[in-house]
Amino acid sequence: MASLWGGRFEKDMDDLVKHFNASIFFDQRMYNEDIDGSIAHVTMLAKQGIVTEAERDQIIAGLEGIRADIAAGKIVFTVEDEDIHMGVESRLIARIGDVGKKLHTARSRNDQCQVDGRLYLKKEIGEILNSLCRLERVILDKAEAYADKITVGFTHLQHAQPITLGFVFMAYFQMFRRDIERLSQTLARMDYNPLGACALAGTTMPIDRHFTSQLLGFAAPCENAMDAVSDRDYSLEFLSDASISMMHLSRWAEEFAWWNSSEFSYIAIDDSFCTGSSIMPQKKNPDMAELIRGKVGRVYGDLMQLLTVMKGTPLAYNKDFQEDKESLFDAVDTWKACIDIFTKMLDKTEFRMDQIEKQLDKGFLNATDIAEHLAKQGTPFREAHSIVGRMVKACEHKGCALQDLTTEDLQAIDSRVTRESLGDISIRACVDARVSFGGTAPTEVRRQIAVGRAWLDGLAASEENANK
């Protein structure tokens, strides 16, 4: 099949080169966006008098017929199509004749592939934002259910302070909130239309780029044609957003793997999110958590791949840019799947409070609270820190908890300390007292939940207004 760009060539491409050059086997997923861009383009051409209204209608009908046939599986693309742009346009010409050859007036594949990529990514970002919001709602519901349930807070993988499970959930809520905010900002920055930039320098034809921007739902045209065809910042930003969010998922997946272990037994993951062993019949493995933890590496790789592609490319368009798509598609698919699976797994996971409560007497979780209590009574904090450190050492010698030390024990450590002066140093009292803004007290966790719900409701209301 003769190429649509082959006029100055005397030879067809070598078969090996055809396969090496073709992107049709992966960029065909953007056929809807390619056809949408072409329909907007020919609609503008007719408005500007560059094609007639009859020609416009004929071209649009042909494009819609191709769209329907692709969706129905009636069109099978081959290496001869080269890419989705040529695959659609060549079929249009075959169906409607010479009129179809007018579609590419005042357009290049350089700006066409950018239109497809931006439209595709805008759609996918919308879906990912919805998935992240669903995850956030599950987190809020879990945080509410466990707002006053106490667990162990860790630093350096050691018991540190008592906290509520609701507090843990709200920590992850903040991570995914930042993911939503970052992705929304990326969406706003990429919402510019490259169509009409042509190869790199615009066109002598009397086109209306503002009109095509309106038709395609972009905020405005890209300001500079050379930048429009060579920019892949929006893909890099998306891949960075995906990498950070996948890191957040991986951190929690790591904790799920710990919590599910026999050494912790903090959680019961629903059977539908676990697998067994081919040889050990007792095993119930947290494979979804482990897969999510593993898949973050491929998304990091997607980001590094495109950064590496872009680092040596001079202005304007280079064939290297064809390598932007597979990494982008992989990251889209991987991130979406991981969010959705983790959301369902989290929703169906229960925390085993009977097992968690057994850990609360280990590690002197109330030590910091005792030091703060002494500081509130006038003891300089560094002295209080030293006193409590000696209390811990005394407990280790006696094999008891801090609250089990007698007044005699305490007086031997420091004459200012008595059992009565310590007050209530139970784990529950320590948690309930941490009411500082952003703290772990149930009252403060419930405030955080209310703020989180209000923020999510605001996002939903903004989206609803934008769609009206």
Side-chain angles (χ1 to χ4, degrees), residues 110-111 114 118 192-203 209-210 213 220-232 315-317:
N110 294 2
D111 59 340
Q114 282 281 68
R118 289 184 186 231
Y192 291 89
N193 177 24
L195 187 57
C198 299
L200 78 160
T203 177
R209 294 188 61 212
H210 291 86
S213 299
C222 294
E223 188 71 23
N224 179 279
M226 181 175 280
D227 178 62
V229 299
S230 61
D231 168 41
R232 295 299 185 275
L315 290 173
Y317 182 85

Side-chain angles (χ1 to χ4, degrees), residues 3-13 109:
S3 171
L4 294 178
W5 47 258
R8 62 93 65 219
F9 289 84
E10 295 179 351
K11 294 181 179 180
D12 195 8
M13 278 196 293
R109 278 190 296 177

Side-chain angles (χ1 to χ4, degrees), residues 244-434:
I244 294 171
S245 184
M246 285 293 293
M247 174 268 292
H248 292 154
L249 287 168
S250 181
R251 292 181 71 182
W252 210 354
E254 171 82 356
E255 293 197 300
F256 261 59
W258 293 351
W259 295 341
N260 186 71
S261 69
S262 299
E263 286 70 24
F264 280 80
S265 296
Y266 280 12
I267 57 175
I269 304 174
D270 191 82
D271 283 359
S272 59
F273 291 90
C274 296
T275 66
S277 165
S278 63
I279 188 172
M280 296 173 284
Q282 82 279 14
K283 294 297 294 294
K284 179 181 174 181
N285 298 323
D287 280 8
M288 296 310 102
E290 292 172 359
L291 278 171
I292 290 170
R293 187 177 61 188
K295 285 180 180 293
V296 67
R298 67 188 293 158
V299 177
Y300 288 177
D302 293 332
L303 172 60
M304 293 310 301
Q305 182 267 342
L306 186 54
L307 281 169
T308 305
V309 166
M310 297 303 298
K311 73 173 183 63
T313 50
L315 290 173
Y317 182 85
N318 302 273
K319 189 68 171 182
D320 313 45
F321 295 162
Q322 181 170 293
E323 293 298 306
D324 67 344
K325 295 175 184 64
E326 287 181 283
S327 58
L328 182 65
F329 297 158
D330 179 71
V332 165
D333 295 343
T334 303
W335 190 13
K336 285 171 67 176
C338 288
I339 297 169
D340 291 343
I341 288 171
F342 193 87
T343 299
K344 293 183 73 174
M345 181 175 69
L346 178 62
D347 189 41
K348 292 180 177 293
T349 295
E350 297 300 327
F351 283 76
R352 303 175 65 185
M353 297 312 304
D354 58 329
Q355 295 297 317
I356 294 173
E357 287 167 5
K358 294 176 183 177
Q359 304 300 315
L360 299 180
D361 290 333
K362 301 176 181 178
F364 309 104
L365 293 173
N366 50 355
T368 305
D369 302 84
I370 296 172
E372 289 183 347
H373 180 72
L374 294 174
K376 285 188 286 187
Q377 292 180 330
T379 305
F381 182 76
R382 280 301 169 204
E383 289 184 27
H385 187 286
S386 177
I387 291 168
V388 177
R390 283 177 278 153
M391 289 171 60
V392 168
K393 182 57 68 177
C395 288
E396 289 177 340
H397 287 313
K398 291 187 66 174
C400 68
L402 287 165
Q403 54 268 37
D404 296 329
L405 290 175
T406 66
T407 294
E408 182 180 356
D409 296 326
L410 296 170
Q411 289 282 287
I413 294 168
D414 192 283
S415 61
R416 292 168 290 183
V417 184
T418 66
R419 187 68 191 81
E420 290 72 23
S421 69
L422 291 182
D424 187 356
I425 58 172
S426 66
I427 297 298
R428 168 56 66 187
C430 292
V431 169
D432 289 347
R434 290 196 170 272

Side-chain angles (χ1 to χ4, degrees), residues 152-206:
V152 177
F154 291 86
T155 62
H156 308 280
L157 289 182
Q158 298 181 76
H159 286 211
Q161 291 181 308
I163 57 175
T164 59
L165 275 170
F167 186 61
V168 176
F169 283 112
M170 292 311 296
Y172 280 104
F173 180 90
Q174 296 302 325
M175 295 185 201
F176 295 116
R177 174 174 177 164
R178 292 192 295 273
D179 293 340
I180 290 170
E181 290 170 343
R182 263 188 295 271
L183 194 54
S184 298
Q185 291 160 6
T186 295
L187 180 59
R189 269 190 294 276
M190 67 172 288
D191 195 18
Y192 291 89
N193 177 24
L195 187 57
C198 299
L200 78 160
T203 177
T204 61
M205 306 294 288

